[in-house]
Amino acid sequence: MRILLTFLIFPALARAQSPDRAVDESVFDDYDLESMKSGEFTIQETVIEKPGEDGKAVKSGHRDRKACVKADKEKVWIEISSWGLEAKKADSVTLCEVDRKSRKVLKAWVSEKGAVGVEAKVEAPEPPAESGKPKWLSGANSASRAQENVTAGKRVVPCDGLKMDWYHPDKDLKTIHESLNVWFSAAVPFRLRLDDEAVRWKYMIAEDVNRDLKVSKALVKWDSSGEVEKVKSKETRSVVDFGTDAKPVVKTK
């Protein structure tokens, strides 16, 4: 069985919201843009729980919004933003003009607190530091397929999922115990290109349990827990809202 754990799903979004106004042209490379429709949006919440200095659990996290606010035959216009759990909305929203077929960002604008968007620089992605599967991401593991109705905000959607559990050494050779449940659904917008092997690896789809997932489906919930030398941590990513009636936020002129 081959399983790869990654915590790099959202780096391009963070970069798009950086002060230097640089947007990674590949920020939407994981998504099925050819079937995307105007108005589709999703809001995902990430909550991380780790022990603090006194041993008590400390929570942190953020919400990420993606919305297709315009679409034609060749291109889509997608807004992305991120804000902390305590805030009601983002101070900064980035609008990207994206080619459906290549999935590359052609132009981008950043709007600060409702102001008219300022054009941002679109940059090619940085090459990965390592290629292939790191040798230290190995060890005894198990995984199984599952089907379940999962709550996404105020709605319940049918999902295909993977349940995984394994032990492996980290890069410092400390033993890690990981358990992870990942749920996908075709009923939620911003569906992933799960027919692409690289995308499947990034979203933790083991090669021998992914036969029902090689289609376009959205990540609905990612529930991960781990333990390193008896220190426990937890991370949950879940869709808290989605729909088909998104309105533009960023004004370009």
Side-chain angles (χ1 to χ4, degrees):
M1 179 180 299
R2 298 184 295 165
I3 298 180
L4 178 61
L5 177 62
T6 179
F7 296 99
L8 301 178
I9 292 179
F10 301 107
L13 175 58
R15 185 178 174 193
Q17 297 298 101
S18 64
D20 61 6
R21 301 182 185 278
V23 177
D24 192 324
E25 70 175 2
S26 65
V27 65
F28 300 107
D29 190 53
D30 292 348
Y31 297 95
D32 175 11
L33 301 188
E34 293 191 79
S35 65
M36 186 168 288
K37 296 180 176 63
S38 179
E40 292 186 326
F41 78 92
T42 183
I43 298 177
Q44 185 179 72
E45 180 179 271
T46 299
V47 179
I48 301 170
E49 187 174 315
K50 293 182 178 180
E53 295 182 357
D54 58 359
K56 294 182 179 180
V58 177
K59 290 185 178 181
S60 61
H62 55 88
R63 291 188 178 94
D64 300 288
R65 176 182 181 266
K66 298 185 291 290
C68 179
V69 295
K70 181 182 175 182
D72 62 24
K73 186 176 180 180
E74 297 180 350
K75 294 182 287 187
V76 290
W77 285 258
I78 300 173
E79 292 181 344
I80 52 177
S81 57
S82 182
W83 62 96
L85 296 178
E86 301 301 322
K88 293 183 178 180
K89 61 179 181 179
D91 287 336
S92 176
V93 180
T94 300
L95 171 65
C96 300
E97 179 183 319
V98 194
D99 181 82
R100 282 187 185 268
K101 190 171 183 180
S102 70
R103 300 177 301 279
K104 290 184 177 181
V105 177
L106 306 175
K107 292 183 180 180
W109 301 262
V110 177
S111 172
E112 303 285 351
K113 296 185 178 181
V116 174
V118 176
E119 189 163 354
K121 183 179 180 181
V122 177
E123 295 182 343
E126 297 177 2
E130 297 181 10
S131 59
K133 178 182 178 181
K135 293 181 180 179
W136 51 270
L137 281 176
S138 60
N141 52 67
S142 63
S144 60
R145 290 181 295 163
Q147 291 183 324
E148 188 171 311
N149 291 327
V150 177
T151 300
K154 297 180 180 179
R155 281 167 284 186
V156 176
V157 294
C159 292
D160 291 310
L162 301 173
K163 296 184 177 182
M164 310 177 201
D165 188 85
W166 73 101
Y167 291 84
H168 63 80
D170 71 358
K171 59 184 178 181
D172 297 318
L173 301 181
K174 296 178 180 179
T175 300
I176 295 176
H177 173 220
E178 301 274 4
S179 61
L180 176 67
N181 294 334
V182 190
W183 300 100
F184 300 89
S185 178
V188 177
F190 281 85
R191 290 172 286 277
L192 299 166
R193 301 184 300 107
L194 297 181
D195 58 337
D196 185 289
E197 183 180 23
V199 177
R200 295 198 303 272
W201 274 81
K202 182 183 290 189
Y203 290 88
M204 290 297 299
I205 304 177
E207 288 302 303
D208 58 348
V209 293
N210 69 358
R211 290 186 298 273
D212 295 338
L213 294 177
K214 290 184 181 180
V215 293
S216 174
K217 293 185 179 181
L219 176 66
V220 175
K221 190 169 185 179
W222 165 297
D223 190 0
S224 171
S225 61
E227 183 175 343
V228 183
E229 296 186 336
K230 297 184 179 181
V231 178
K232 297 180 179 180
S233 61
K234 183 178 180 181
E235 179 176 354
T236 301
R237 302 170 189 168
S238 54
V239 172
V240 295
D241 196 11
F242 67 93
T244 58
D245 58 352
K247 305 299 182 185
V249 173
V250 179
K251 298 178 182 179
T252 57
K253 58 181 179 179

